[in-house]
Amino acid sequence: MPVKKQYTAAEVQAAMDRADYQYYRKLVRVRNDVSVVDWARASIKVARDASGHQLDPYQWSGRGGDIGHTFRHVDATADPGKSIYQDRQTAILVTMELLNSAKGQDALEALDTLTPHGDERDMTAGPVNRKIVSTVTGDYYGAGGKGQPLQKIKTAVCEIMKLGADTLWIHSSYPKHFV
């Protein structure tokens, strides 16, 4: 089943939990050709052609430098300078609204079309990252940063990817504009 569907709060929470503190590239494929030491490295030098593309697009080039991080945008666990949701439940409900919106469904469909298997072979040009930016219709609150007064969220952003053919990865979700 593809990732384009209507999501429940429990499914959104599971997709966030799956990504939180995880490196996407480490989960996209089980590898038997990488040492434990190399598996933990952020980047590894690989052979490249004159244009800079890897000669072997499936050679392990490192886990990457970013992790799933919706938690960075929740008041209790926010990094300095990040916009925040009031709490984790607000993050889940706003993200669910974004995914189930018309823009969200279009982004999910594009993700299914461009990365049908959600595996490393779909990533030869890099992971496909679909960003959903949409108006929030519910009464949800957040702030431009930790310690700032809470305001009603007007628009929010959700970044999604796939693990496998039917597993949603919510890389991040955060409030963008406030009323």
Side-chain angles (χ1 to χ4, degrees), residues 71-88:
F71 65 90
R72 292 183 190 169
H73 296 281
V74 175
D75 188 28
T77 54
D79 289 345
K82 300 279 187 185
S83 63
I84 59 167
Y85 290 111
Q86 180 177 6
D87 52 32
R88 186 167 174 80

Side-chain angles (χ1 to χ4, degrees), residues 154-170:
K154 182 177 178 181
T155 60
V157 177
C158 177
E159 298 175 25
I160 57 172
M161 296 166 16
K162 283 174 68 170
L163 283 173
D166 60 359
T167 303
L168 183 65
W169 168 281
I170 298 177

